[in-house]
Amino acid sequence: MDSDGRYEQQVVWAVVGTGIGPLLLAATHEGLVNVVFHATDAVRDKALERLRSRLGGEPVEAPDSPLLAEAIRQVEAYFAGERHDFDLPLDWSLISGFNRQVLRELASGVPYGAVVGYGDLAGRVGQPGAAQAVGMAMGSNPLPVVVPCHRVVESDGGIGGFGGGLETKRKLLALEGVLPEPLF
């Protein structure tokens, strides 16, 4: 236990180069807990501070950790076009309630190469009319790419928003064959 009476979890992390820029992957003994886009030094440091604050303990850079090895392998295979599904234990402790329910449905119910509308996803979790709340859940997704919030789009065919930036969302959807590859 830490000085505030919280149980500390060991958090290990590594930064992985991908076709959309560096991703920070962080894991606990439960599984992958966080994926962070554009993991430059400043973004990485802010993410690690947030993990320290939320989970306790000091995150440790450990790219060779058994807790991260499979996640790194699967992320690299996904970006190489060799993997369509992630099969990883996930630690959902950074999200709860409706947001967790929506993200779990997204992870299990929207396969590679498919998209779903915000309203459709709301309906799948028994909350028709909660499209805006689904958008908020996507924005708070601690596990983007692995829990594929990039596959959620507007019902009128618009791409919708994305925490990693619209260009990143376009690249992910192009990788999965939903959108054409950009010309330049």
Side-chain angles (χ1 to χ4, degrees):
M1 242 186 238
D2 68 10
S3 60
D4 297 323
R6 293 178 304 189
Y7 285 98
E8 292 184 9
Q9 291 195 57
Q10 179 190 16
V11 178
V12 293
W13 64 273
V15 173
V16 178
T18 72
I20 58 168
L23 292 179
L24 175 123
L25 304 180
T28 67
H29 69 280
E30 295 288 325
L32 191 65
V33 71
N34 204 198
V35 176
V36 179
F37 290 115
H38 315 298
T40 60
D41 290 350
V43 169
R44 180 201 65 214
D45 291 348
K46 185 176 179 181
L48 293 174
E49 180 54 40
R50 194 169 52 251
L51 287 168
R52 184 180 305 108
S53 167
R54 296 282 305 274
L55 300 176
E58 184 67 35
V60 176
E61 184 175 15
D64 296 327
S65 166
L67 296 174
L68 281 174
E70 185 61 17
I72 290 169
R73 191 185 71 70
Q74 289 188 27
V75 165
E76 289 173 340
Y78 170 81
F79 282 101
E82 300 164 357
R83 180 173 201 90
H84 293 173
D85 301 303
F86 292 97
D87 183 20
L88 296 168
L90 301 177
D91 179 339
W92 293 94
S93 63
L94 295 178
I95 197 146
S96 62
F98 177 79
N99 291 355
R100 182 187 289 189
Q101 182 184 10
V102 169
L103 292 171
R104 283 182 179 262
E105 173 59 32
L106 174 65
S108 65
V110 183
Y112 182 96
V115 294
V116 66
Y118 292 94
D120 293 336
L121 191 53
R124 288 186 187 191
V125 296
Q127 297 291 325
Q132 190 172 6
V134 166
M136 298 296 285
M138 296 305 104
S140 65
N141 181 4
L143 295 162
V145 180
V146 176
V147 176
C149 52
H150 60 276
R151 296 180 189 154
V152 183
V153 298
E154 295 173 348
S155 60
D156 65 3
I159 195 168
F162 195 61
L166 292 182
E167 186 58 31
T168 299
K169 186 171 187 172
R170 284 186 191 96
K171 287 180 178 180
L172 289 166
L173 291 172
L175 174 69
E176 295 189 9
V178 175
L179 292 176
E181 289 286 341
L183 295 175
F184 46 88

